[in-house]
Amino acid sequence: MNKHHFNMIHHIAIIGSEYKRSLKFYSEILNFKIIRETKRGKKNDIKIDLMMNDQAEIELFIKPDAPERVSFPEAKGLRHLAFKTQAIEEDVRYLKENDVRVEEIRYDEITHKKMVFFFDPDGLPLELHE
């Protein structure tokens, strides 16, 4: 019997640079519910806990002096975060209506399901996958 119980994601931590822009994106556009907000003086940031669904949370850290993320070329580490969707065209339309940068829908070469990348205000790659 497996002694480990690594079977669910508790939270995903994301660093944003601008409070209003990042909070609007994650809480209003992506519709993640704000659980709490904590100003952390010693770390010189603001931590906003958001409920993504019934099981997972997003920890959004606002840190204006954080270094830029290496995305192009891709660096080792977390590549992107993907959200499951049942209506990719509708979701893409919604994101574009909210001035979110979205690539063209394409098919995943392995799953043959529709997928698309979009980007948060700091350029973090996010994905929708059917």
Side-chain angles (χ1 to χ4, degrees), residues 35-92:
I35 301 169
R36 74 188 66 80
E37 182 175 315
T38 308
K39 291 182 181 177
R40 304 182 326 155
K42 288 184 180 179
K43 298 199 180 220
N44 195 30
D45 66 9
I46 299 170
K47 179 179 180 273
I48 305 164
D49 296 308
L50 302 157
M51 182 58 68
M52 188 170 71
N53 55 31
D54 293 342
Q55 300 174 343
E57 297 177 16
I58 298 284
E59 289 183 343
L60 176 59
F61 294 88
I62 305 301
K63 193 161 184 65
D65 60 348
E68 291 297 318
R69 181 179 193 275
V70 178
S71 290
F72 304 101
E74 291 182 331
K76 292 178 186 173
L78 183 65
R79 190 172 188 176
H80 62 266
L81 172 61
F83 301 104
K84 186 168 182 63
T85 181
Q86 303 298 326
I88 199 164
E89 287 89 357
E90 185 178 319
D91 290 341
V92 165

Side-chain angles (χ1 to χ4, degrees), residues 9-58:
I9 292 176
H10 180 271
H11 70 267
I12 297 157
I14 296 171
I15 297 174
S17 64
E18 290 183 29
Y19 178 86
K20 286 183 181 179
R21 192 173 67 163
S22 292
L23 189 60
K24 178 181 178 180
F25 181 80
Y26 287 100
S27 71
E28 294 178 26
I29 296 173
L30 296 189
N31 203 29
F32 298 154
K33 182 183 170 218
I34 298 170
I35 301 169
R36 74 188 66 80
E37 182 175 315
T38 308
K39 291 182 181 177
R40 304 182 326 155
K42 288 184 180 179
K43 298 199 180 220
N44 195 30
D45 66 9
I46 299 170
K47 179 179 180 273
I48 305 164
D49 296 308
L50 302 157
M51 182 58 68
M52 188 170 71
N53 55 31
D54 293 342
Q55 300 174 343
E57 297 177 16
I58 298 284

